[in-house]
């Protein structure tokens, strides 16, 4: 029986991605195998990190809402933008890392298991980390240095507990980040073409004066429109039924005024008729004839 992967010694450190030169020298099959190995590798470094960073519901909800909001925004605006959550990112010659959110502008938004820079030919444009009861130094110190060194143009940190937002942009003195200045309570992202802010305890995105709606807000809006349409249809139906009642009563009053008493069958026909045009034809005939049988003659 073949041994399982976990029976082998677990390496201490995560493996590094091949350099660009090594990647370019590989065949397609070799490249695919390397990606599979990097994606599925277990290392003590990664296992310790995973165990120490169990995801809370607050963290998960904030991450998923931000991802879905950005995806829907770019999809509706017709822009080619990839937005991924918890995607393994592999830069040439570097250990892989898994940010909360990554955004790459100007590429196909199709699904990916990981972002291999050598294969994609592009690095990450924006990283958003969501901090909640974890290791503060990792997001606010270590990542600021490492993401700048990799040349990630923009990096944002949303601190759920403190309800604070921090933004960094690459300085001309590469590789170094400088804080993004806040404008009217918002942090502009040149790469996203949006502004980030905290509103009512949530990370939100703005395009000019307009709030980019979240998935739940879009659904709520659609439900409200559907309810309004249903109410309008019911109101129209009610008005139509009231109009039919008026037509029937007017026809009966006209027949009685002109001395034409409908038979029991004709009376039932009047009360059961739901065709406004037919009732009007009977009414017009009742104005011009004295024979009640001619009123209902539709032959």
């Amino acid at each position: 029986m073949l041994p399982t992967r976990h029976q082998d010694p677990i390496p201490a450190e995560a493996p590094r991605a091949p350099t660009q030169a090594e990647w370019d020298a590989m065949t397609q099959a070799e490249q695919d195998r390397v990606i599979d190995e990097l994606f599925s590798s277990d290392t003590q470094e990664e296992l310790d990190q995973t165990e120490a960073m169990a995801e809370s519901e607050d963290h998960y909800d904030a991450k998923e809402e931000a991802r879905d909001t950005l995806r829907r925004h770019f999809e509706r605006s017709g822009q080619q933008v990839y937005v991924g959550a918890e995607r393994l990112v592999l830069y040439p010659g570097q250990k892989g890392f898994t940010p909360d959110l990554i955004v790459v502008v100007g590429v196909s938004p199709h699904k990916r298991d990981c972002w291999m820079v050598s294969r994609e030919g592009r690095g990450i444009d924006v990283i958003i980390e969501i901090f909640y009861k974890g290791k503060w130094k990792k997001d606010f110190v270590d990542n600021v240095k490492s993401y700048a060194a990799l040349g990630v143009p923009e990096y944002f940190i949303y601190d759920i507990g403190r309800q604070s937002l921090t933004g960094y942009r690459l300085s001309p003195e590469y590789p170094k980040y400088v804080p993004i200045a806040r404008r009217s309570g918002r942090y502009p992202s040149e790469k996203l073409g949006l502004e980030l802010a905290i509103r009512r305890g949530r990370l939100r995105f703005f395009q000019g004066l307009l709030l980019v709606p979240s998935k739940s807000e879009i659904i709520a809006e659609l439900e409200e429109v559907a309810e309004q349409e249903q109410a309008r249809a019911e109101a129209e139906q009610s008005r139509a039924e009231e109009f039919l009642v008026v037509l029937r009563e007017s026809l009966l009053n006209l027949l009685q005024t002109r001395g034409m008493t409908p038979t029991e069958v004709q009376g039932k026909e009047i009360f059961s008729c739901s065709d406004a045009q037919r009732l009007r034809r009977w009414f017009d005939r009742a104005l011009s004839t004295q024979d009640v049988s001619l009123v209902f003659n539709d032959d």
Side-chain angles (χ1 to χ4, degrees):
M1 183 178 67
L2 293 174
T4 63
R5 184 179 61 188
H6 294 292
Q7 289 175 315
D8 298 329
I10 298 176
E13 290 189 350
R16 294 178 181 271
T19 64
Q20 190 65 52
E22 291 170 339
W23 175 265
D24 292 340
M26 295 178 185
T27 65
Q28 181 66 55
E30 290 172 335
Q31 291 176 349
D32 292 341
R33 184 170 63 253
V34 165
I35 290 176
D36 289 341
E37 290 174 354
L38 289 169
F39 184 73
S40 61
S41 64
D42 282 341
T43 66
Q44 192 60 51
E45 183 180 41
E46 292 167 329
L47 293 173
D48 290 344
Q49 185 181 51
T50 300
E51 183 177 354
M53 296 179 63
E55 189 172 39
S56 69
E57 286 192 12
D58 288 331
H59 181 271
Y60 177 85
D61 290 345
K63 176 183 64 181
E64 292 301 297
E65 181 177 58
R67 184 197 67 176
D68 292 344
T69 299
L70 289 174
R71 279 184 177 177
R72 286 176 176 272
H73 167 71
F74 292 124
E75 181 181 354
R76 295 174 74 182
S77 63
Q79 299 179 66
Q80 290 286 96
V81 179
Y82 175 74
V83 182
E86 296 290 341
R87 295 297 88 194
L88 175 65
V89 177
L90 296 159
Y91 274 77
Q94 302 293 323
K95 295 179 184 179
F97 59 98
T98 309
D100 287 324
L101 289 167
I102 61 173
V103 182
V104 187
V105 180
V107 298
S108 169
H110 70 265
K111 294 182 179 180
R112 297 164 169 84
D113 290 332
C114 67
W115 187 272
M116 167 70 83
V117 173
S118 295
R119 178 175 63 182
E120 301 287 349
R122 287 282 307 278
I124 306 302
D125 285 322
V126 180
I127 291 179
I128 301 176
E129 295 284 11
I130 297 170
F131 176 78
Y132 184 69
K133 296 182 178 179
K135 294 183 178 180
W136 184 89
K137 182 175 178 290
K138 172 183 173 292
D139 286 339
F140 289 89
V141 178
D142 298 341
N143 286 347
V144 173
K145 295 179 181 178
S146 60
Y147 292 164
L150 291 173
V152 177
E154 293 180 339
Y155 172 40
F156 295 91
I157 314 164
Y158 169 41
D159 187 333
I160 297 177
R162 293 182 176 85
Q163 283 297 287
S164 65
L165 185 61
T166 307
Y168 293 98
R169 183 174 294 125
L170 275 181
S171 164
E173 301 175 11
Y174 173 83
K176 181 182 178 182
Y177 274 142
V178 293
I180 296 176
R182 188 171 60 176
R183 301 185 313 207
S184 301
R186 302 178 188 175
Y187 292 84
S189 168
E190 294 176 353
K191 290 295 182 178
L192 298 178
L194 301 171
E195 293 179 324
L196 288 71
I198 298 174
R199 293 292 183 271
R200 298 182 179 179
R202 296 158 61 193
L203 176 62
R204 307 309 305 269
F205 302 89
F206 292 83
Q207 187 172 37
L209 298 176
L210 300 178
L211 172 69
V212 178
S214 66
K215 178 181 178 180
S216 60
E217 288 167 337
I218 292 174
I219 292 174
E221 182 179 352
L222 292 175
E223 289 176 344
E224 183 179 352
V225 170
E227 290 174 358
Q228 291 174 349
E229 286 298 312
Q230 182 178 355
R232 183 185 61 79
E234 291 175 352
E236 290 181 355
Q237 179 66 24
S238 177
R239 286 194 295 270
E241 291 175 355
E242 291 175 0
F243 182 60
L244 287 174
V245 170
V246 171
L247 281 177
R248 294 176 187 133
E249 292 177 350
S250 298
L251 176 57
L252 286 171
N253 289 334
L254 179 60
L255 291 172
Q256 292 174 359
T257 300
R258 305 204 64 199
M260 291 182 287
T261 302
T263 64
E264 182 178 351
V265 173
Q266 291 168 340
K268 289 181 179 179
E269 194 171 4
I270 292 172
F271 282 110
S272 63
C273 182
S274 58
D275 186 341
Q277 291 184 350
R278 193 178 188 192
L279 287 168
R280 284 172 173 169
R281 285 199 304 270
W282 291 347
F283 188 89
D284 292 340
R285 290 174 189 163
L287 288 172
S288 59
T289 184
Q290 293 291 338
D291 187 345
V292 69
S293 63
L294 296 177
V295 172
F296 302 96
N297 185 6
D298 289 330
D299 297 334

